[in-house]
Amino acid sequence: MTTEQELSVDRLIDDPRTRIVVCCGSGGVGKTTTAAAIGLRAAERGRRTVVLTIDPARRLAQSMGLTELDNTPRPVKGVTGPDGPDGPGELHAMMLDMKRTFDEVVIAHADPERARAILENPFYQSLSAGFAGTQEYMAMEKLGQLRATGAWDLIVVDTPPSRSALDFLDAPSRLGSFLDGRIIRVLMAPAKVGGRGAMKFLNVGVGMVTGTLGKIFGSQLLTDLQTFVAAMDSMFGGFRERADRTYQLLKAEGTAFLVVAAPERDALREAAYFVDRLAADEMPLAGLVLNRVHGTGAPQLSAERAHAAAQSLEENGAEHEPGQADADVLAAGLLRLHAERMEVMVRERRTRDRFVSVYPDVPIVEVPALAGDVHDLDGLRLIGHRLGGTAED
Ligand SMILES: Nc1ncnc2c1ncn2[C@@H]1O[C@H](COP(=O)(O)OP(=O)(O)O)[C@@H](O)[C@H]1O
Ligand SMILES: [Mg+2]
């Protein structure tokens, strides 16, 4: 047994100084579930909480009342604080609408006429619909907005289903450099004109450019592109500033990162990268949530003994009465299943121990694999209870 620290999410969310919890990790490990469970638990322990989800599964979204995509938090029904409906503690939830959030940023930074020109521009529409990193950037933007309202004791943030956990932290700089000139390279690629040279090229004027690029793009499209680049360029400082501010918010006291991972080699390797990266950026890591850990009701029966018992049942089966033989087959099957489960547990334990040996100071909390998906408040409560890490309930 290793003697790593236990992570208590209750201690974290009960501390009034904790204002932001960010759940990050690679895809499919349970970030959205963890964020929702923590939000619910914090609310039921008396905090005014909002959870910003990115991609909740449909049934989970429905159970939280996330049926309207209107990009603002809505109260979740069926959630009250410890002192009842009149006491403190409530949960609001929202689902990130990336396009709408991007639109809001544009509207905030450009005069109305220019904002309209940008929003209607076809290049803007394809950019806002999903350039790599925009979703991550917009999640941060929304977090900044929620924080600025001052309306919440606690903001719990889910992160996008990125392939790599690091995309989330890289997003501001990625989008920054995108607006800083990479856009030109991307959009001009067919014309084989690269980098900043292209920006100068565009600024020379429509007349000169239409001759070459106009043939490829069509002159209306080219005008759209120029308008877009000029308009985005004028907002660039604003974008950068906002991204910087949110980045500082993530580093500030009051923010806690939770890295979510499954007890599997690849997931924990991603988690390790993320832990390193948070440390390098001086971001406050609260701990690791090891989600979907397998357990058993009979831990004292090892895989080896279960296999041996199954084998002896199978070998002796022929000597028994027909009814007894059926029961033996069934028992042997169950023993084999148990043995496989024990093997999974041993593997998970070994993977965890390897992580702990490299990161002995990272507190860990384990959440068991539930029998089915987590798709309602009761399921979230169960997860939250396991995350809580306090013995009282
Ligand atoms: N501890 C758990 N036990 C059982 N199912 C889980 C658990 N945690 C998550 N799930 C399920 O796994 C799937 C992926 O979870 P999700 O939170 O959407 O992951 P992510 O946001 O990291 O992509 C969902 O169907 C969810 O219900
Ligand atoms: Mg998710």
Side-chain angles (χ1 to χ4, degrees):
M1 266 306 270
T2 39
T3 53
E4 69 275 2
Q5 304 177 53
E6 280 288 323
L7 169 67
S8 164
V9 169
D10 281 353
R11 219 172 309 141
L12 189 67
I13 60 181
D14 288 349
D15 186 339
R17 288 169 303 180
T18 307
R19 306 297 301 277
I20 294 173
V21 173
V22 183
C23 298
C24 51
S26 49
V29 291
K31 295 181 294 292
T32 302
T33 306
T34 303
I38 291 175
L40 176 60
R41 189 155 179 95
E44 293 187 330
R45 292 171 76 85
R47 299 195 78 188
R48 187 172 158 78
T49 309
V50 62
V51 54
L52 169 58
T53 64
I54 311 286
D55 63 334
R58 214 161 61 104
R59 285 177 73 196
L60 179 66
Q62 279 167 351
S63 75
M64 299 181 81
L66 293 170
T67 42
E68 256 178 280
L69 239 182
D70 59 359
N71 219 22
T72 57
R74 299 278 168 213
V76 178
K77 289 200 192 76
V79 182
T80 47
D83 302 328
D86 298 326
E90 50 192 280
L91 180 63
H92 295 237
M94 66 166 289
M95 196 178 346
L96 179 74
D97 181 337
M98 183 180 68
K99 169 89 169 68
R100 202 133 155 186
T101 304
F102 208 152
D103 293 354
E104 287 166 10
V105 178
V106 170
I107 290 163
H109 280 282
D111 59 75
E113 205 174 313
R114 184 158 251 188
R116 191 155 32 81
I118 294 175
L119 297 181
E120 285 169 1
N121 192 292
F123 287 102
Y124 171 75
Q125 285 163 13
S126 63
L127 166 69
S128 59
F131 181 74
T134 28
Q135 197 175 27
E136 284 83 359
Y137 180 90
M138 290 310 145
M140 299 246 268
E141 166 65 29
K142 197 74 210 177
L143 168 62
Q145 288 177 13
L146 289 172
R147 187 68 173 90
T149 66
W152 311 102
D153 295 341
L154 184 69
I155 304 169
V156 186
V157 197
D158 177 21
T159 52
S162 315
R163 196 186 51 77
S164 159
L166 297 181
D167 288 350
F168 180 65
L169 281 178
D170 286 335
S173 60
R174 190 122 55 87
L175 197 74
S177 56
F178 171 69
L179 296 171
D180 215 3
R182 203 170 295 174
I183 182 174
I184 307 300
R185 239 169 298 151
V186 172
L187 297 176
M188 288 294 155
K192 300 246 186 313
V193 183
R196 293 181 173 281
M199 179 70 110
K200 288 207 203 81
F201 190 43
L202 275 173
N203 289 339
V204 178
V206 185
M208 213 187 120
V209 183
T210 39
T212 44
L213 296 181
K215 287 205 186 75
I216 297 157
F217 277 133
S219 58
Q220 181 54 47
L221 214 53
L222 190 63
T223 311
D224 286 345
L225 175 62
Q226 286 179 299
T227 313
F228 176 62
V229 169
M232 289 305 271
D233 201 41
S234 72
M235 296 198 313
F236 174 68
F239 268 98
R240 183 34 77 75
E241 209 177 281
R242 285 170 96 92
D244 284 349
R245 225 180 303 143
T246 311
Y247 188 81
Q248 292 309 324
L249 188 61
L250 292 176
K251 286 174 84 151
E253 199 199 343
T255 298
F257 280 84
L258 290 174
V259 176
V260 184
E264 289 152 16
R265 212 180 48 186
D266 290 349
L268 272 173
R269 190 184 299 133
E270 277 278 312
Y273 282 134
F274 209 84
V275 168
D276 290 343
R277 175 60 192 276
L278 287 172
D281 284 20
E282 294 173 353
M283 299 270 178
L285 172 69
L288 177 77
V289 174
L290 212 48
N291 188 33
R292 301 190 101 154
V293 176
H294 290 89
T296 173
Q300 65 282 11
L301 179 58
S302 72
E304 294 74 25
R305 283 176 49 220
H307 275 309
Q311 194 176 354
S312 84
L313 279 172
E314 285 156 0
E315 283 165 359
N316 299 336
E319 299 159 20
H320 289 156
E321 299 295 310
Q324 181 62 37
D326 287 348
D328 285 352
V329 170
L330 185 61
L334 288 174
L335 283 163
R336 296 272 187 216
L337 270 180
H338 173 78
E340 279 161 29
R341 168 59 64 94
M342 290 300 285
E343 282 157 4
V344 167
M345 286 170 55
V346 166
R347 202 162 55 233
E348 289 181 351
R349 164 64 55 182
R350 211 180 296 133
T351 312
R352 171 187 162 137
D353 286 348
R354 214 172 299 132
F355 180 89
V356 170
S357 68
V358 183
Y359 301 95
D361 298 329
V362 175
I364 300 181
V365 63
E366 286 191 2
V367 175
L370 303 186
D373 273 357
V374 184
H375 54 255
D376 56 16
L377 294 183
D378 284 340
L380 291 178
R381 271 189 199 105
L382 203 57
I383 301 271
H385 173 66
R386 301 305 291 256
L387 284 165
T390 43
E392 73 206 53
D393 63 347

